[in-house]
């Protein structure tokens, strides 16, 4: 059964599919498949057909038609259909997020309702139609994936184990193990294989957690931290010789910014040869390696969302 929720700061609307009795029952929905594309083409004299020069994925339009039946509401029959629609219009008036669930998986997409219209009434039902426009056409996972790519791992327990479960990275605690000396108490992770199970490339957010203090290189000169995507041959290089009292550096690639834990602008840490727009996670495997040339220790996490060309169909 298909469940759709539209939510924002004004509240949320729940739409339900299937044959049950719900306050908002989905009759028809369109726009969950491939988003429309526009093509730039050229035709040449004395040639057959045309040549496609470029293509652009446009905004996505999602249309939903529902039956409104206030009697099915848990609040009882006192609420008329008109009251339900009036409440809905206050929510639909503001931008929000559409959550689309089919019991097996959930997709989300930012949307704005551009049209809402009340249709015919029959019996205790009122037909109501809505149209949403999504500026960014790809659906995403409901929750962001957070994967450590540079850290110290406790080998004797009281730590965390990361594993892939149906395309989703999950973690579980590791209990204390018995050990016999001599042995290794920890090991350092310097590279991680990140799997992008989506349909298109995605831009991550990289969080660097640092101990407070001034960060210099091992030799006392400029301290650098390099993040490599060895699968795509892309790099991000940071020069941190002036990173005083910074405990977290957030490289927000989708927004093209680098800030500290208190939102201080740190874009000047980015090396002149590095460009945030040139770093992404390709579909499939991404071998991410971190090289730390700082005198202080740090840990690095990669935060991203898989992106899909469709929601839940069939």
């Amino acid at each position: 059964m298909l469940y759709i929720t539209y939510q924002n700061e004004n509240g949320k609307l729940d739409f339900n599919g299937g044959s049950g009795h719900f306050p908002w029952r989905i009759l028809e929905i369109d726009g969950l498949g491939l988003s429309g594309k526009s093509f730039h083409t050229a035709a040449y004299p004395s040639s057959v057909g045309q040549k496609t020069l470029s293509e652009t994925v446009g905004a996505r339009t999602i249309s939903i038609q529902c039956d409104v039946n206030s009697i099915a509401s848990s609040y009882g029959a006192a609420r008329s259909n008109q009251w339900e629609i009036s409440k809905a219009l206050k929510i639909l008036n503001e931008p929000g997020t559409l959550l689309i669930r089919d019991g097996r998986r959930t997709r989300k997409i930012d949307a704005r309702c551009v049209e809402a219209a009340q249709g015919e009434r029959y019996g205790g039902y009122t037909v109501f139609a809505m149209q949403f426009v999504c500026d960014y056409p790809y659906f995403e996972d409901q929750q962001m994936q957070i994967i450590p790519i540079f850290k110290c791992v406790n080998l004797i327990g009281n730590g965390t184990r990361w594993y892939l479960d149906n395309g989703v990275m999950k973690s579980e605690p590791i209990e204390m193990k018995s050990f016999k000396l001599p042995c290794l108490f920890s090991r350092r992770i310097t590279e991680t294989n990140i799997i992008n199970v989506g349909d298109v490339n995605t831009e991550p957010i990289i969080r660097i957690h640092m101990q407070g203090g001034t960060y210099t290189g091992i030799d006392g000169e400029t301290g650098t931290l390099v993040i490599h995507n060895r699968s795509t041959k892309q790099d991000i290089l940071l020069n941190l010789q002036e990173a005083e009292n910074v405990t977290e550096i957030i490289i927000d690639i989708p927004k093209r910014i680098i800030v500290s834990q208190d939102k201080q602008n740190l874009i000047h840490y980015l090396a002149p040869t590095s460009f945030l727009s040139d770093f992404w996670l390709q579909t499939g495997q991404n071998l991410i390696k971190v090289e730390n040339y700082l005198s202080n220790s740090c840990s690095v996490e990669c935060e991203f969302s898989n992106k899909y060309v469709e929601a839940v169909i069939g």
Side-chain angles (χ1 to χ4, degrees):
M1 184 180 293
L2 185 65
Y3 301 91
I4 296 179
T5 298
Y6 181 73
Q7 60 186 28
N8 54 33
E9 59 184 11
N10 289 344
K12 70 175 184 175
L13 285 173
D14 292 316
F15 310 104
N16 298 269
S19 58
H21 295 284
F22 307 102
W24 293 80
R25 183 168 66 91
I26 299 172
L27 298 177
E28 185 177 349
I29 184 168
D30 183 61
L32 301 185
L34 293 176
S35 185
K37 296 182 179 181
S38 59
F39 299 89
H40 180 206
T41 62
Y44 301 98
S46 302
S47 63
V48 178
Q50 64 183 17
K51 182 176 179 60
T52 300
L53 303 178
S54 63
E55 66 177 59
T56 302
V57 181
R60 178 183 296 274
T61 300
I62 298 176
S63 302
I64 303 176
Q65 183 173 326
C66 293
D67 267 343
V68 183
N69 178 18
S70 63
I71 298 178
S73 171
S74 60
Y75 295 94
R79 288 186 171 180
S80 66
N81 292 351
Q82 198 60 40
W83 190 96
E84 288 282 350
I85 293 174
S86 177
K87 179 187 71 172
L89 290 174
K90 292 179 175 62
I91 299 173
L92 294 171
N93 188 51
E94 298 294 333
T97 300
L98 279 170
L99 297 176
I100 304 168
R101 305 179 295 274
D102 71 345
R104 296 175 294 119
R105 55 182 180 176
T106 301
R107 301 281 186 261
K108 73 173 184 177
I109 191 168
D110 291 334
R112 180 189 301 269
C113 182
V114 296
E115 189 171 353
Q118 180 177 322
E120 298 180 356
R121 299 180 183 179
Y122 56 98
Y125 297 89
T126 302
V127 176
F128 193 80
M130 295 150 286
Q131 188 173 78
F132 299 88
V133 171
C134 312
D135 293 340
Y136 187 75
Y138 296 126
F139 296 94
E140 302 181 24
D141 292 324
Q142 185 177 7
Q143 295 181 337
M144 299 284 283
Q145 305 288 325
I146 302 176
I147 301 177
I149 56 178
F150 186 83
K151 64 177 295 186
C152 185
V153 177
N154 187 346
L155 296 180
I156 61 172
N158 293 340
T160 302
R161 183 179 74 89
W162 291 85
Y163 62 96
L164 192 66
D165 182 15
N166 293 325
V168 178
M169 292 300 298
K170 296 183 178 180
S171 62
E172 63 181 11
I174 302 175
E175 297 181 358
M176 174 72 76
K177 301 177 182 178
S178 60
F179 59 91
K180 182 183 295 186
L181 296 175
C183 69
L184 292 176
F185 286 80
S186 65
R187 67 181 177 89
R188 182 164 294 280
I189 295 175
T190 60
E191 64 180 24
T192 302
N193 190 21
I194 295 178
I195 308 297
N196 175 7
V197 300
D199 302 317
V200 297
N201 297 337
T202 184
E203 295 180 329
I205 298 173
I206 298 173
R207 299 181 183 273
I208 305 171
H209 303 280
M210 314 176 76
Q211 296 179 352
T214 302
Y215 288 82
T216 61
I218 298 174
D219 58 359
E221 300 298 328
T222 299
T224 60
L225 189 77
V226 187
I227 303 168
H228 304 276
N229 187 338
R230 299 176 64 181
S231 300
T232 60
K233 312 300 182 186
Q234 300 165 334
D235 302 306
I236 292 179
L237 191 151
L238 299 179
N239 296 319
L240 304 176
Q241 72 273 23
E242 299 176 356
E244 297 182 0
N245 300 319
V246 173
T247 59
E248 184 181 27
I249 297 176
I250 304 168
I251 307 174
D252 194 329
I253 296 177
K255 294 182 179 179
R256 305 292 191 262
I257 61 174
I258 301 177
V259 296
S260 66
Q261 72 279 0
D262 55 2
K263 306 305 180 183
Q264 177 186 356
N265 184 11
L266 303 179
I267 194 66
H268 58 280
Y269 289 167
L270 186 65
T273 56
S274 294
F275 300 91
L276 298 184
S277 59
D278 291 340
F279 194 94
W280 59 80
L281 301 179
Q282 66 180 4
T283 56
Q285 299 189 45
N286 295 267
L287 186 59
I288 308 298
K289 180 179 176 62
V290 176
E291 295 182 11
N292 180 15
Y293 298 103
L294 303 175
S295 59
N296 301 59
S297 62
C298 67
S299 62
V300 184
E301 293 176 339
C302 182
E303 181 178 328
F304 70 98
S305 178
N306 299 300
K307 302 184 186 300
Y308 308 92
V309 298
E310 52 84 27
V312 283
I313 301 177

